[in-house]
Structures are given as structure tokens and as C-alpha cells.
Amino acid sequence: MDLLEYQGKQLFARHGLRVSQGSVVTNVEDAVTAAAEVGYPVVVKAQVLIGGRGKAGGVKLAADESELRENAANILGMDIKGHIVRKVWIEHASDIASEYYASVLLDRSAKQPLVMFSTEGGVDIEEVAENTPEKLIRQHVDALTGLSHGEAVQIATVGGADSDVIDGVADALVALYEVWLQEDATLAEINPLIVTPDREVKALDAKVSLDGNALYRHPENQDLSDSENEDPIERRAKEEGVQYVKLDGDIGILGNGAGLVMSTLDVVAQAGGAPANFLDAGGGSDAEKIKQAVDLLLANDAVKAVLFNIFGGITRCDEVARGLIAAFADIKPSVPFVVRLDGTNDVEGRHLLAEAALPNVYPAKTMNEAAEMVVALAAGQPVGASA
Ligand code: GDP
Ligand code: MN
């Protein structure tokens, strides 16, 4: 779950990281009020879940009210790489002496938290990593002991932070580590972490992703999810209590059980296809549930074919088949469905489907066969006769 900058800064402040005070607003008049509160000059910042706002014109300084009005009016409604700006954050502008970079994330391959620091902040950190990797310090942290102030001093020193702010940078790194750890974040990043002419160290930007699966441990973070920026179909699935994930391909995938769904994704990829989404129907798939699932899968226009992969256990394949027949009578999908039924009552299930003779439904016996068929159908190629 990605947070907007101002939300990330709220978490930073909670853990003692220095940030500028400000307000989030949705219109020019409120921006004027907010700017008067923090005092000019101010900075107007687009709140969207995408980086590079500065380069795109979504971060602007304003010396007075007329500049503020102009900038706020320009930025509100702006399209930044497909993200429409509905909120702007107004904070008192900072004077900048240096721009550093700091982040904490989980290094999955090392199975350890990783702290990164560079004095080359403010710019694309990927470029620093690629062109001058020696300027990006990478330090693993022992998860049991955490990041000590001494280790943080070491990172800041090796990274080449100005000697008079090493202590301040170390404090910021420790606080950032605490944000990452205590808020169950998957990423906590500050770019730039600035040094002001008064030698204050402070976070000018915030990029925080929280682990959605740990959200139950943080009721106070529950409402940070920005529903405007969420995929509307994923939001609907969440509201309906269905496990649904959007991907970038053109094949819709529906299965029962997380393991089966995961392996279905793999088999489709192996057959040369690209999943558009996947949905776990879970156990006890009655007609209503299947209709809901098919509806959700097809809400994504990118879907050109659907693979329906059911392994019957407690879920009986004949019930699934009945559900599918009932759902199709209602929805009448325009894209082909490959249906693989295996396990409890699979013979009855396939028999029911054959009897119903649904147009554009193709039965398959094995997962591999089903994957190959759905990949061909998505590519517009003919396969064997439909059921
Ligand atoms: P991003 O482009 O989405 O990463 O947005 P940032 O919040 O990092 O802002 C982009 C750039 O705008 C920063 O690297 C700064 O150079 C500049 N900037 C942002 N806030 C201020 C500020 O308060 N004062 C000054 N002088 N520059 C700022
Ligand atoms: Mn930034």
C-alpha cells in the first residue's frame, strides 16, 4: 500500500524525523489559507502516487499569494504520467544547502533490512546506483538488534555526509529505520533528505509503502489508503471481500485456492501468455459467487480470454459447473472461457457443461492443456470445438 507524500511525512513526524509543517488541500482558496498559515515562501506539491513530480512541473515554489494561486491552479487537475492531481500539499519552503538520499527496505535475497544512503540526493537514485555506485552506501542491518546510532554514524561518515551534520544524518537514519520497522513498511525513502543553511537535517520528500497484510496491527493507519488512487476494480473486489489482483496482460484467471491460482499464473506464463488479473474464488463456489467473480474478471477491458481453473475438493465441480451456467445466462460474456474441472465430481461437472452447450466455452482436462488453449484464444487463434 503506497502512501502519498504528506501521509508518509505524518509517519515520519510520529517517529521524530524532521519535516515541514503544512496542509493538504483540494482547491485554490484552501491553498491560500494554508499558505498564510505556514508563511511565504511556500512550496506547492502535487500529491500523487508517482515519482518525478518535480520534473513534471508538479512541485513549485511560490513567493507570494499571486504566485501561489497560479501554481496551485496549474497543479490541481494536472496529469502526471496518468495520475490526475486532486490534492496538493502546501508547506513552508525550505532553504537547501545539500540534498542527500536515505532509504530502508527489506533485501529479500539477503533476508535482512537494508539501509541505503547517498550524498547525491534530489536526483534519480537509480542513476546514481548505475553510474556512480560507490556514491550509494548499502548497509545491511541485523533485524534482531536494529540500527544503532553508532552504525548510522558509520553509514553517514562512509557516505561522505558533511562532518558537522553526521550526527543529524545518523539520527534521521535511525528514525527512518524505526518508521520502517514499527509501521510495518516495505519501503521508507527520503529523497531529498536536505541539510539547510542552518545545518538542520530534514525530510523534504517521503515515499512510504506499508505492508497491507500487516495493516490489522495498525488501526491508526487504516484510513491512509487513498481510494482515489486505487484501481477501481481492486477496490470493488476488496469491498466484496474477494481476492483479486490486477496485472498487465490479457488473460483473466480464476481459480479456487491461492496455491492453485499461483500455479495457474505460472503455467499460463510458461505457455507464452500474460495474465491480466487473477481472482481466488476460495471454497464453496456457489452460482452467486461465481457470477460475482466472472463480473469482476470481465470488468477489466484488457481481458481477451479467461481461464477458469477449478480443482474440486470440498468445492464440488458439478456445483461450479451449475454456477457457471447460471452466471453465463446472466452475464453472457463476449470473450472465450477455457474451463478446467478436476477433482470431486469432475465428470458430472464436465457433463453438465457439455449439456448446457455454452457458446464460447472450451473444456480442458489438464492445466497445461487449458493454459495452451487460453493463450491461443487470447491471441485470436482457433482451438478445438467449444463445449
Ligand atoms: P519528486 O520530484 O516527486 O521527487 O518531488 P520532491 O518532493 O523530491 O521535490 C522535487 C524537488 O523540488 C526537490 O529535489 C527540491 O529540489 C525541490 N523542492 C521541493 N521542496 C522544496 C523546498 O521547500 N525548497 C526548495 N528550495 N526546493 C524544494
Ligand atoms: Mn523526491
Side-chain angles (χ1 to χ4, degrees), residues 222-296:
Q222 227 42 268
D223 54 355
L224 288 177
S225 144
D226 195 82
S227 47
E228 271 169 32
N229 288 310
E230 215 175 22
D231 180 78
I233 306 172
E234 284 192 356
R235 184 164 76 232
R236 198 179 117 198
K238 209 187 283 173
E239 282 163 10
E240 294 177 7
V242 177
Q243 296 291 335
Y244 169 94
V245 174
K246 183 183 180 305
L247 300 165
D248 298 325
D250 56 8
I251 295 171
I253 296 198
L254 192 147
N256 62 325
L260 182 69
V261 171
M262 291 298 125
S263 38
T264 309
L265 293 172
D266 286 347
V267 179
V268 166
Q270 199 175 33
N277 49 32
F278 65 84
L279 197 150
D280 178 4
S285 301
D286 58 18
E288 196 46 44
K289 214 164 167 189
I290 288 174
K291 185 174 157 248
Q292 185 188 26
V294 172
D295 242 353
L296 271 168

Side-chain angles (χ1 to χ4, degrees), residues 333-365:
S334 58
V335 301
F337 272 60
V338 176
V339 181
R340 179 244 183 177
L341 297 174
D342 202 352
T344 312
N345 292 3
D346 55 351
V347 176
E348 293 92 320
R350 284 199 291 271
H351 186 71
L352 283 169
L353 279 183
E355 267 186 347
L358 301 173
N360 238 356
V361 169
Y362 302 80
K365 275 207 180 107

Side-chain angles (χ1 to χ4, degrees), residues 173-195:
L173 290 175
V174 170
L176 189 62
Y177 185 81
E178 292 304 314
V179 170
W180 180 82
L181 181 71
Q182 291 179 19
E183 303 291 345
D184 279 314
T186 52
L187 170 72
E189 182 185 72
I190 311 172
N191 191 19
L193 175 71
I194 62 159
V195 182

Side-chain angles (χ1 to χ4, degrees), residues 5 45 51-54 59 122-123 189-192 204-207:
E5 172 197 359
K45 309 185 77 175
R53 295 165 302 159
V59 177
V123 291
E189 182 185 72
I190 311 172
N191 191 19
L204 213 61
D205 192 5
K207 185 173 173 189

Side-chain angles (χ1 to χ4, degrees), residues 182-222:
Q182 291 179 19
E183 303 291 345
D184 279 314
T186 52
L187 170 72
E189 182 185 72
I190 311 172
N191 191 19
L193 175 71
I194 62 159
V195 182
T196 68
D198 299 339
R199 313 313 284 166
E200 194 190 357
V201 176
K202 123 183 186 193
L204 213 61
D205 192 5
K207 185 173 173 189
V208 178
S209 299
L210 298 178
D211 180 354
N213 292 319
L215 212 50
Y216 72 97
R217 299 205 287 204
H218 306 278
E220 73 284 5
N221 290 346
Q222 227 42 268

